[in-house]
Amino acid sequence: MQVQAKKIFGVLLISFVVYTIIATPDKASDLIAQWFSAISSASKWVGNQIGNLAN
């Protein structure tokens, strides 16, 4: 039962993402840019922390 729920959730999530991209491409591109910025910042922070531990 859980496997089916995960599959359904995955399909719904993908459908929502595709709908958002088609319906509001400007907002979708802004959201993607924010995600990449957040991931970049987190990666830099992790790198700095590892560098501090190595010193």
Side-chain angles (χ1 to χ4, degrees), residues 4-46:
Q4 288 178 338
K6 287 181 182 180
K7 286 182 183 178
I8 291 171
F9 179 73
V11 169
L12 289 175
L13 182 64
I14 291 170
S15 300
F16 176 73
V17 169
V18 170
Y19 169 76
T20 302
I21 291 170
I22 292 172
T24 57
D26 293 336
K27 289 182 181 179
S29 65
D30 289 341
L31 184 60
I32 297 292
Q34 289 175 354
W35 286 351
F36 279 120
S37 177
I39 291 170
S40 174
S41 295
S43 299
K44 288 178 185 176
W45 180 82
V46 169

